[in-house]
Amino acid sequence: NAGVTQTPKFRILKIGQSMTLQCTQDMNHNYMYWYRQDPGMGLKLIYYSVGAGITDKGEVPNGYNVSRSTTEDFPLRLELAAPSQTSVYFCATGERMNTEAFFGQGTRLTVV
Amino acid sequence: AQSVSQHNHHVILSEAASLELGCNYSYGGTVNLFWYVQYPGQHLQLLLKYFSGDPLVKGIKGFEAEFIKSKFSFNLRKPSVQWSDTAEYFCAVNAGNNRKLIWGLGTSLAVNP
């Protein structure tokens, strides 16, 4: 089993460009999360989903959008990229509420 | 608001030294507690977790943590660290009916050979 797969691993964007970070899981977990990680700032939750068709904002949703049309996929969309969105992005899944999270390998995004 | 505090931001140890990383949380009810590790350039992996039962939890690679409810703490320990333990360590808490994990800011551990 692949677990949680994120693509791409690295990306450089120009200011104002858009892109979609892909996240796919084969663990059949209902819960999926997008985090960003900045040095010394820990993990900040961007969006999360408790099942197909259901998404909700986390701590830092501005500048991002998500969708959850299937259990497996939870893409994160960046519209009009800004330098402040330079970060490492992690997708994670969980079987249900109150259980551990399983992380993907991350996407390192630089906006210049 | 629920929060998680990790007291040590940077820790430097020599190999074979003992390790204790502090984690405190603010929530008075039932909690699920986690320690994750992130090796350089890698994703987060679960070290250990506490849901209920014995408050002394053993995890992978010789790590353990003790849940002390009266102190709202879940400190991570290892009797003798190795160079390969160099990593960032995150404490996380899931409290009550919260759908999300609350994360500490992390502790960066450097072990000198």
Side-chain angles (χ1 to χ4, degrees), chain A residues 4 11 14 25 34 46 52 63-64 67 76 80 88-89 110:
Chain A
V4 183
R11 183 72 186 268
K14 293 185 178 178
Q25 55 120 345
W34 273 107
I46 305 170
Y64 307 94
S67 60
L76 177 71
L80 299 174
V88 181
Y89 292 84
T110 302

Side-chain angles (χ1 to χ4, degrees), chain A residues 43-64:
Chain A
L43 290 168
K44 300 294 184 186
L45 182 65
I46 305 170
Y47 271 95
Y48 69 103
S49 169
V50 301
I54 306 169
T55 62
D56 206 349
K57 296 178 180 179
E59 302 170 80
V60 290
N62 291 347
Y64 307 94

Side-chain angles (χ1 to χ4, degrees), chain A residues 35 37 45 98 100-101 104, chain B residues 32 36 38 43 46 49 94 103:
Chain A
Y35 291 95
Q37 184 181 33
L45 182 65
N98 297 338
E100 67 189 89
Chain B
N32 295 330
Y36 285 82
Q38 185 178 29
H43 65 295
L46 184 70
K49 60 187 177 186
N94 189 287
W103 293 85

Side-chain angles (χ1 to χ4, degrees), chain B residues 13-92:
Chain B
L13 295 173
S14 298
E15 276 194 317
S18 64
L19 171 71
E20 181 160 2
L21 301 181
C23 174
N24 285 88
Y25 62 92
S26 62
Y27 183 74
T30 302
V31 291
N32 295 330
L33 300 157
F34 307 85
W35 275 99
Y36 285 82
V37 61
Q38 185 178 29
Y39 298 105
Q42 296 191 27
H43 65 295
L44 282 82
Q45 306 168 46
L46 184 70
L47 260 184
L48 48 79
K49 60 187 177 186
Y50 172 81
F51 287 0
S52 64
D54 189 344
L56 185 60
V57 179
K58 295 195 183 299
I60 61 171
K61 303 187 180 186
F63 285 91
E64 65 179 30
E66 185 175 13
F67 170 51
I68 303 180
K69 189 174 182 179
S70 60
K71 294 185 178 180
F72 301 93
S73 70
F74 190 54
N75 292 353
L76 181 71
R77 299 195 292 248
K78 186 171 184 178
S80 175
V81 294
Q82 300 173 314
W83 176 78
S84 58
D85 293 324
T86 294
E88 190 139 15
Y89 293 81
F90 292 91
C91 180

Side-chain angles (χ1 to χ4, degrees), chain A residues 18-23 33-34 46-49 55-58 60-68 73-80 85 89:
Chain A
S18 301
M19 76 164 293
T20 299
L21 282 65
Q22 301 291 346
C23 176
Y33 310 87
W34 273 107
I46 305 170
Y47 271 95
Y48 69 103
S49 169
T55 62
D56 206 349
K57 296 178 180 179
V60 290
N62 291 347
Y64 307 94
N65 276 302
V66 293
S67 60
R68 183 93 183 272
D73 299 306
F74 190 42
L76 177 71
R77 178 82 177 160
L78 277 72
E79 304 282 1
L80 299 174
Q85 293 177 305
Y89 292 84

